[in-house]
Amino acid sequence: MANHKSSLKRIRQNEAKRLRNRYAHKTARTALKSLRTEENKAVAVEQLPRVISLLDKLAKKNIIHKNKAANLKSKLTKHVNSLA
């Protein structure tokens, strides 16, 4: 266990950030899943910008890699366009 005051504070800050990042990542995964399972094109087209925005925010905060965000956005857009 750390002894310095600053390292104890750093541990507390890291834990808070970890939980915040975990919540954001889980929220995005849930949104991705709901978009992937959506079969109605009108609803999917409406959801797509929100999901893309979520992915961009995660990439900006380095919660996910920017290339992963780009790949997910591309796949989701292809999926939505392929719906009848």
Side-chain angles (χ1 to χ4, degrees), residues 9-57:
K9 180 179 178 181
R10 176 58 55 201
I11 289 168
R12 289 194 308 270
Q13 289 176 335
N14 286 341
E15 180 64 14
K17 288 176 186 176
R18 183 184 73 83
L19 292 174
R20 200 173 307 126
N21 290 343
R22 190 171 148 200
Y23 174 78
H25 198 190
K26 182 63 179 169
T27 304
R29 283 198 308 253
T30 306
L32 286 169
K33 186 175 182 180
S34 70
L35 183 58
R36 282 192 187 120
T37 57
E38 186 59 55
E39 294 178 7
N40 184 354
K41 185 165 185 163
V43 176
V45 167
E46 188 180 308
Q47 281 182 347
L48 185 63
R50 277 188 245 136
V51 174
I52 287 177
S53 175
L54 267 174
L55 291 172
D56 286 337
K57 286 176 189 172

Side-chain angles (χ1 to χ4, degrees), residues 3-10 12:
N3 291 322
H4 291 280
K5 257 186 146 177
S6 60
S7 54
L8 292 172
K9 180 179 178 181
R10 176 58 55 201
R12 289 194 308 270

